[in-house]
Amino acid sequence: MLQRLPKRTLSSAYRLRQQQQYTSNNDKNTEGSSSGIVNKSGKETRYVKQGNAKADWWLQARSRLNRQFDIEPERKLTFTDNKFAFQSKTTSELLRASLCFNLFSIKYLVENNEKIMGAMTKILGEKTFHALMKATVYGQFVAGEDKDKIKGCVERLTGAGVGSILDYAVEEDIDENEAVELEMDACLSTEEHMAEIGDIPDTEIKASEDKKFRTPSQFNDYEMYRAHKEFADRRVGVTSARTYFYKDEEKCDKYMEHFLYCINAAGGASEDGFAAIKLTALGRPQFLLQFSDALVSSRQLFEELAGATKVLELGFDESRFIDKAGRMGLARSRGDLLETFTFMQEEADSEWIDLLDWNNLTDRNKSFSDIFVIDNHGETVKLMKDLTSDEEDQMKRMLERINTLASEAKRQGVRLMIDAEQTYFQPAISRISVECMREFNGDNPVIFNTYQCYLKQAFKNFVIDLEQARREGFHFGAKIVRGAYMEQERVRAEKLGYEDPIHVDYEATSRCYHRTMDVGLEYIHSHGDANIMIASHNIDSIKYAISRMESLDISRSEGKVFFGQLLGMCDQLTFPLGQAGYPAYKYVPFGPVADVLPYLSRRAKENSAIMEGAKAEKQIIHRELFRRLRTFQL
């Protein structure tokens, strides 16, 4: 049983109300890794053939090709030739990489790295400590302090055939208590805050929730989209993803400026750059929680009425939809349905009804809670809680910030990657990402959504989004990762009593990863208007992608399929890919030394966690160092 959250203080609710007042006074100001998962032995697992299962049954036109799941034994590209892999790296850079990987194998240093860095700053002084960091860990994993100082790194990458995904890695270093306080303040609605201080009874909120129209499969998911104090510090159990905590609207504006800075840097540093953003930096997470809950409720109801499998395989059966809606007590005609499901917009193709629309979301004259409304046996039921006027303004401003970033990225020719986050935020993040695609990806892919393949729903979500892009004629952009929140998600699901959203093991995750990749590659082969970023440090996944590109006759020079790894890691994969003509990219973090220490701390922990898998990388670095020493090529 979960412990009841302690009563919050009046000052907490007062501070919330003070923060909410910001929007009314500042409207004019903002108008204008994925790293792989290792199995128990620490070894990467090869892709497992999936029998006769088809991954492309929803495509209306494709050429029937013999599927080849086994890696081809011979190819020109190699990831074991140390001379070829590191020909663009200096000896000093290889020595630095070797030093960092060896340091990260020392458990005591990794577990206490924050304390050690703090002590070294006091002993050496800030200037000397920063110089030491630039010569070691900072120099290995961070490109520079600002957009001017990173140009050298970006140019060297470009010269080696490697592109850049710029990521402004500045994040606040706050303690656990402050993180919990901020998260609970930001995730609870005004109504929930009032319940905590005793202004309204908890039973009144629960009674309101019970009136929500729910399909049977939803009853166990009640706690999933709620804030819980024991999981409020979203950094716990996560080493490879940056975390933002909401303080106020001014802070969100500051983060938006950081992202704009990153977009400008990407636009100025290269002709084909990427920039990465996180939506939790741009507004109150309360909105993402409530929006996700409403989306899942509406989507499950829609799939219950339409027949999810038949929608994907055969197309939308309107007569079946209307008939079942009538039998469930909902509207009985198409006109009534469009009134009942006001969040579904009629498209040019009259056979389809779609969830949401970007203009629908950003319409300042429409309340979010009025979008998600159904009529259940004559009773109006809202799938999303009523928001206060302040909350409505905050949610609209979050979408306006996203719109500003997407517009600027499109203007500068930069591709904008929207990172995935926790499952209880992700339905909202993915939906917003797809609506941004619909709005900004008409001529070319600007917006990329991220799909975490350790999630059981990842493949289905990918298929649905890809099909929507095909049907509506916009470019599909996707980054495929394994995922960053597995440990945290599993613990949360177990303690709160809802189904574990994560695949049962690493092998299942890898099957989902390759299956999703397969779908994207086959769509590129048959339709062309999609871009896929394969973000992985797993050499088997890279080899599989290359073999499928060859069998599907997808040229490496087409620029439709990208490969991505983190700066300072897996150079033996990235540089051979780039030098062989494949669109290879590095995630390139940048920012002042003092402000990226939390990022560097996570890199240390992540490298330590996958040290067994990194042995091959260390060995190939050592081979190249010995070769240069032996041949006097230092």
Side-chain angles (χ1 to χ4, degrees), residues 217 269 456 464 609:
S217 61
K456 296 173 183 176
I464 291 173

Side-chain angles (χ1 to χ4, degrees), residues 163-379:
S164 299
I165 305 169
L166 297 190
D167 186 11
Y168 195 56
V170 171
E171 55 187 291
E172 289 188 287
D173 189 10
I174 60 177
D175 62 35
E176 182 181 353
N177 291 334
E178 185 179 1
V180 171
E181 178 92 5
L182 289 172
E183 185 74 356
M184 295 307 295
D185 271 346
C187 285
L188 296 182
S189 65
T190 301
E191 182 185 50
E192 289 168 324
H193 275 287
M194 294 174 67
E196 284 206 329
I197 62 176
D199 286 359
I200 60 175
D202 290 345
T203 53
E204 187 174 317
I205 295 179
K206 186 62 171 68
S208 174
E209 285 297 323
D210 288 341
K211 288 179 64 178
K212 181 184 290 186
F213 186 95
R214 292 178 178 271
T215 57
S217 61
Q218 288 180 270
F219 284 112
N220 293 329
D221 295 342
Y222 176 82
E223 297 294 342
M224 184 172 184
Y225 301 103
R226 300 294 175 271
H228 296 274
K229 189 172 183 179
E230 60 187 304
F231 300 107
D233 188 350
R234 289 180 278 115
R235 300 169 301 182
V236 176
V238 178
T239 59
S240 58
R242 184 159 61 261
T243 303
Y244 292 94
F245 292 97
Y246 178 88
K247 286 189 175 180
D248 51 41
E249 293 296 294
E250 291 170 299
K251 198 69 175 179
C252 294
D253 285 340
K254 182 178 179 181
Y255 285 136
M256 184 185 72
E257 292 298 327
H258 286 174
F259 293 148
L260 285 171
Y261 183 85
C262 194
I263 290 169
N264 291 332
S270 64
E271 296 180 356
D272 56 356
F274 283 87
I277 67 171
K278 277 184 176 289
L279 296 198
T280 49
L282 299 174
R284 284 178 65 84
Q286 172 206 350
F287 168 59
L288 296 176
L289 277 175
Q290 292 183 218
F291 192 18
S292 292
D293 191 12
L295 281 166
V296 171
S297 298
S298 60
R299 180 161 161 179
Q300 287 185 347
L301 175 57
F302 182 78
E303 292 176 353
E304 174 73 13
L305 293 171
T309 304
K310 290 186 178 298
V311 168
L312 294 177
E313 288 180 343
L314 306 174
F316 180 74
D317 185 341
E318 183 176 336
S319 61
R320 180 190 184 282
F321 187 95
I322 294 175
D323 176 67
K324 190 157 187 178
R327 287 188 280 111
M328 292 178 68
L330 303 176
R332 293 177 179 274
S333 70
R334 181 180 180 82
D336 290 339
L337 279 170
L338 290 174
E339 287 295 321
T340 300
F341 291 86
T342 55
F343 51 88
M344 294 183 183
Q345 299 294 302
E346 184 175 3
E347 299 295 333
D349 183 348
S350 61
E351 294 182 355
W352 290 88
I353 296 176
D354 277 329
L355 287 169
L356 292 178
D357 177 82
W358 184 246
N359 294 325
N360 204 8
L361 286 175
T362 55
D363 184 357
R364 275 199 164 271
N365 297 316
K366 184 173 292 186
S367 168
F368 283 111
S369 58
D370 289 339
I371 295 176
F372 295 93
V373 176
I374 65 171
D375 183 342
N376 183 27
H377 294 279
E379 179 183 6

Side-chain angles (χ1 to χ4, degrees), residues 380-594:
T380 299
V381 179
K382 292 186 176 182
L383 297 178
M384 187 171 180
K385 286 183 179 179
D386 285 322
L387 302 175
T388 66
S389 59
D390 285 336
E391 289 171 341
E392 283 279 355
D393 284 340
Q394 288 172 345
M395 307 322 165
K396 295 293 185 183
R397 289 184 67 78
M398 181 186 200
L399 294 171
E400 288 167 1
R401 292 183 187 104
I402 298 167
N403 194 76
T404 297
L405 294 170
S407 299
E408 184 63 16
K410 188 175 182 68
R411 187 184 73 81
Q412 296 209 32
V414 172
R415 288 161 289 195
L416 195 63
M417 236 167 227
I418 299 178
D419 284 340
E421 304 193 46
Q422 283 86 355
T423 50
Y424 42 93
F425 295 141
Q426 196 54 42
I429 292 171
S430 289
R431 193 65 247 165
I432 290 170
S433 299
V434 172
E435 294 307 323
C436 281
M437 279 191 219
R438 178 193 278 173
E439 181 74 11
F440 296 99
N441 285 16
D443 300 324
N444 57 288
V446 175
I447 306 298
F448 281 63
N449 189 23
T450 301
Y451 297 86
Q452 298 190 103
C453 291
Y454 67 7
L455 296 176
K456 296 173 183 176
Q457 288 289 318
F459 177 74
K460 179 180 179 182
N461 292 339
F462 184 89
V463 166
I464 291 173
D465 294 345
L466 182 59
E467 171 58 22
Q468 181 177 350
R470 183 202 66 79
R471 183 162 43 81
E472 297 184 19
F474 59 83
H475 284 74
F476 182 70
K479 179 176 72 170
I480 306 172
V481 301
R482 277 179 168 79
Y485 306 97
M486 180 178 69
E487 179 183 341
Q488 184 186 94
E489 295 278 13
R490 279 230 162 100
V491 173
R492 190 177 190 270
E494 181 180 0
K495 289 191 175 181
L496 298 182
Y498 57 86
E499 182 184 354
D500 185 353
I502 309 297
H503 282 300
V504 64
D505 55 25
Y506 177 80
E507 285 73 18
T509 295
S510 288
R511 287 195 293 271
C512 179
Y513 190 90
H514 289 87
R515 188 183 181 199
T516 303
M517 182 200 306
D518 228 14
V519 166
L521 294 176
E522 289 183 356
Y523 184 88
I524 289 172
H525 167 77
S526 58
H527 292 78
D529 53 349
N531 279 190
I532 306 296
M533 168 69 76
I534 298 167
S536 177
H537 291 172
N538 184 322
I539 190 171
D540 290 333
S541 293
I542 303 300
K543 288 180 177 179
Y544 179 76
I546 291 170
S547 70
R548 289 298 289 140
M549 287 176 66
E550 292 174 353
S551 66
L552 290 165
D553 198 27
I554 299 174
S555 171
R556 65 189 75 178
S557 62
E558 284 185 46
K560 301 283 188 181
V561 183
F562 312 106
F563 296 88
Q565 288 87 37
L566 291 167
L567 184 70
M569 296 175 65
C570 289
D571 289 345
Q572 79 279 9
L573 296 181
T574 314
F575 288 100
L577 283 167
Q579 291 156 8
Y582 290 91
Y585 283 78
K586 283 290 193 184
Y587 248 83
V588 179
F590 66 102
V593 176

